[in-house]
Amino acid sequence: MPTDTYVKISQETRDELKTLRQLTGTGAVKLLNGAAPVPAGLNAGIVSNWLCGAAGKARKTHLDFVLNAWRALPRMHVVEIDETMRARLATLRAQTGAGPTKLLKAMQQVPDGLTAPAVSRWLSGASKTAPKDHLRAVIAAWEALPRYEFFAITAKQQRALRALIEETGAGPSALLRGQRGLCPEGLNSSTIGNWLRKPGHRVRKDHLDYVMGRLESLREQAAGYFTLTPTDRAALRDEITRTGVSAFKLLKHADDAPRGLSSAALRRWIDGQTKTVRRDHYDYALSRWRDLPDLQGPHLAKLGLGDCETRHGRIVFNDEITSRLHSLQERTGMGGTALISWASRAGLDIPAGLTDTMIAQWINGVTRSAKPRHLAFAITAWQRAMEESGARCLITGDMRERLLSFQDAYLLPSGVFAMVDHAPKGLGPDTVRRWLESGPRYADPDHVNWVLETCDGLLEAERFRVPVTPDIQARLMAAREKCEIGATDLLRHAPDPPDGLTANMISAWINGSVNTARKDHLDWVLARWTEHVEA
């Protein structure tokens, strides 16, 4: 049998191949799947190499077959997406607040072949043309949605919102209670909560106008407010010192507390963050504190430690005490140094001789006994710290599953911190690594919420990029060495590689000359190399 002739792929031929692919809306995989019989040895990877210029020659029978197959397909009407059209699309997205994914979900009928990533490429400029019926359908869908005015909420607006909520005692949930059918569509308590938590959060103007107007109305309806003086604040602080009862503990079992009064509100009164309060709220809190007895010296039995062995006037640590100390440290996030520092700031009377080093030695097992007053003070201080600042939350099984899913997406433990620059103080990769470990783990709720919300936001982004960490570099090198296939051969023989992925790009990830990669590119390379290893 004569050897098949190889021919050079001219630029003219390559341009024709690209044009045919675009005009028919059919990629190499779909083309070969729909054509029969396909010449031996011809696959989509080979055709892709012709298109991207990786291959300069081709078997003549292969090239003729592909050209004829594409030429035989019906043409789609393709239009150019110029800067004017791109600006129109971007304006429609901004005015409706609907991204490509949300838009397609709202469409009653999506044209065959239209996808959210395709629309994203129109917006970004990655695609310069689009099928006319696809573009027409997308514009019509966006224009059918209601238009809104959006802006980023300012710190001043946040302060004004918090002040009104504080004055009226109406939080996000209470504010909207009974307002179904009266408030704007899409407004809920979570939306308002996000405005308060996230500086620069995107806000719909009609939503904020409604909330501010309702709060103003509630304030006007309320009566009996007065301005807190330094003397009023001092009276509350004196009662806390006298009784040893925090704002949280004061209201924990207060079934008769006025509606809208909370321990968080009390703390803001005392800290000076709130200027005006309801008279009945203030009188209730002060009266309840004054009804409590003076703080007595804490006894170990009252701290729930039961009978303790003493030796030479010191408490000998048993498993219960050791477990209690570890639990308190874990739940507050405070070791010896942090606990003593907090107690000093809180104005507590630290017993003579008690040091942060001493507490640290209790926890790590270096010291197995303590003076009763030292141990009682440390336990009480930890408990008060939890009451004042809120106990750390337990990392539940569901939370750990979500965290592990973000780890699989290369966002944890370190990726998310490389992609954003506003992580909460004290939160970093080492903290997240501890959360991911097995066994009970406690964490700052604000830290956990930030990680979960930030990772969710990154995953929702179209084709988001992830950092190429040393761990990922090691995985890539190990996979390449095991299957003994280089990047060039991988792309040449693997079916349907992602658009834009090149061998040079893969090499740059491995040698560290670039520090981020598109996640779909990275997933594809690791999957293909792994398939070769398993084969």
Side-chain angles (χ1 to χ4, degrees), residues 364-484:
N364 60 32
V366 174
T367 301
R368 299 289 300 167
S369 65
K371 292 181 178 180
R373 67 178 185 277
H374 287 176
L375 181 59
F377 175 85
I379 292 175
T380 303
W382 264 317
Q383 290 174 334
R384 291 189 184 178
M386 285 193 293
E387 293 170 355
E388 292 293 333
S389 59
R392 285 150 64 89
C393 68
L394 175 68
I395 300 293
T396 64
D398 289 341
M399 286 182 185
R400 186 171 279 111
E401 286 183 6
R402 289 184 66 192
L403 294 169
L404 290 172
S405 72
F406 296 141
Q407 183 183 42
D408 293 339
Y410 317 110
L411 293 176
L412 298 180
S414 58
V416 66
F417 300 100
M419 300 174 72
V420 297
D421 56 5
H422 57 279
K425 184 178 180 181
L427 176 60
D430 289 340
T431 300
V432 177
R433 286 190 184 93
R434 289 194 292 272
W435 300 350
L436 294 169
E437 294 171 358
S438 60
R441 289 290 182 272
Y442 290 86
D444 185 322
D446 291 336
H447 286 183
V448 176
N449 289 336
W450 182 89
V451 168
L452 295 177
E453 291 176 2
T454 303
C455 288
D456 275 334
L458 291 173
L459 285 177
E460 290 173 1
E462 298 286 352
R463 288 190 172 182
F464 74 96
R465 301 185 69 82
V466 296
V468 182
T469 64
D471 289 343
I472 293 176
Q473 288 178 307
R475 288 177 61 190
L476 289 167
M477 287 188 285
R480 182 183 60 181
E481 291 171 2
K482 285 183 180 179
C483 69
E484 299 181 349

Side-chain angles (χ1 to χ4, degrees), residues 17 21 24-51 61-71 73 492-497:
L17 289 167
R21 180 181 63 176
T24 60
T26 302
V29 174
K30 186 175 180 181
L31 177 73
L32 296 182
N33 286 340
V38 177
L42 177 61
N43 58 50
I46 291 175
V47 179
S48 296
N49 285 337
W50 300 347
L51 291 164
T61 55
H62 286 184
L63 185 59
D64 290 344
F65 176 86
V66 170
L67 283 168
N68 291 332
W70 254 326
R71 288 166 180 164
L73 294 177
R492 178 178 295 124
H493 301 296
D496 201 22

Side-chain angles (χ1 to χ4, degrees), residues 109-131:
Q109 185 173 1
V110 180
D112 185 35
L114 176 60
T115 64
V119 180
S120 295
R121 288 193 294 271
W122 303 348
L123 290 163
S124 67
S127 293
K128 307 297 183 184
T129 60

